[in-house]
Amino acid sequence: EARVPFLDTEFTRLAMSIDPARKMVDREAVLTNSRGREKTFLRELFEGPNDNGHSIPCPVLWRAKAMQCEGVGEDWVSILQRKVSSLVSDAEMADAHITYPVNTPHTKEELYYRRIYDENFHGLEHVVKPWEGGGRAMGAAWKSDMYTREGLKNTNLLSHSLQQKAAF
């Protein structure tokens, strides 16, 4: 994957010089949203004030890592899924395997997006190749402790003490 920081040989040399044990993720820490979770080494670099006396509040610095669409810090994914679910009937979902025999949608969200795809690219469903075993956040398998096909199982991991409670 060609991203700019990884094309920088000095950055790559620095990253590779770090003890691999410092970069390992503790599975239990991910589930409990605690030290040892993803990016702990990077987060530790930003603890405390910088030279100007500014700091990132701990609840923000240590919040759960999330998919890009979930990383906005709100439960937008669940809101979107509720909206999309209201646009796909149970009968449509039950017939999904008939309507879409190739790469059959497994959720109402998938069916909704598939309908849009089919409207624009009818007859090209064979072109799309789903990732073997899954394709959610961070390449998570469809069967995952953290994710379902709909996204993060526990969206409460995304909230932190600096957020205001929204009424939706």
Side-chain angles (χ1 to χ4, degrees), residues 5-6 8-20 23 41:
F6 303 113
D8 182 333
T9 57
E10 288 300 314
F11 176 82
T12 302
R13 193 174 355 271
L14 174 65
M16 296 304 290
S17 72
I18 299 168
D19 178 3
K23 297 183 267 185
F41 183 78

Side-chain angles (χ1 to χ4, degrees), residues 110-126:
E110 290 176 21
L111 196 147
Y112 177 79
Y113 295 132
R114 179 61 180 278
R115 195 177 351 173
I116 294 169
Y117 180 88
D118 198 53
E119 287 170 7
N120 292 283
F121 304 104
H122 184 71
L124 295 176
E125 60 277 353
H126 64 283

Side-chain angles (χ1 to χ4, degrees), residues 3-153:
R3 292 188 182 177
V4 175
F6 303 113
L7 295 175
D8 182 333
T9 57
E10 288 300 314
F11 176 82
T12 302
R13 193 174 355 271
L14 174 65
M16 296 304 290
S17 72
I18 299 168
D19 178 3
R22 299 272 303 151
K23 297 183 267 185
M24 297 300 293
V25 176
D26 177 354
R27 192 168 176 74
E28 187 61 31
V30 172
L31 295 173
T32 59
N33 200 20
S34 57
R35 193 173 294 272
R37 62 172 306 108
E38 324 80 358
K39 302 184 186 265
T40 289
F41 183 78
L42 182 63
R43 295 169 197 255
E44 287 172 346
L45 293 174
F46 289 92
E47 284 186 314
N50 64 14
D51 292 341
N52 295 327
H54 300 111
S55 61
I56 299 173
C58 282
V60 173
L61 182 62
W62 288 96
R63 74 180 186 149
K65 185 175 180 290
M67 294 190 310
Q68 184 176 358
C69 57
E70 293 169 334
V72 294
E74 301 294 338
D75 192 17
W76 288 11
V77 173
S78 295
I79 295 166
L80 173 66
Q81 288 167 349
R82 280 193 303 274
K83 176 65 176 173
V84 167
S85 288
S86 73
L87 301 173
V88 175
S89 72
D90 292 338
E92 284 178 288
M93 194 66 225
D95 289 342
H97 68 287
I98 298 167
T99 309
Y100 303 109
V102 176
N103 298 328
T104 303
H106 294 270
T107 67
K108 287 186 173 185
E109 180 185 11
E110 290 176 21
L111 196 147
Y112 177 79
Y113 295 132
R114 179 61 180 278
R115 195 177 351 173
I116 294 169
Y117 180 88
D118 198 53
E119 287 170 7
N120 292 283
F121 304 104
H122 184 71
L124 295 176
E125 60 277 353
H126 64 283
V127 174
V128 177
K129 304 291 183 209
W131 290 341
E132 195 62 40
R136 276 313 233 196
M138 302 173 285
W142 294 126
K143 293 182 178 168
S144 165
D145 292 339
M146 295 289 292
Y147 291 91
T148 67
R149 287 182 84 100
E150 289 83 15
L152 190 62
K153 284 182 183 178

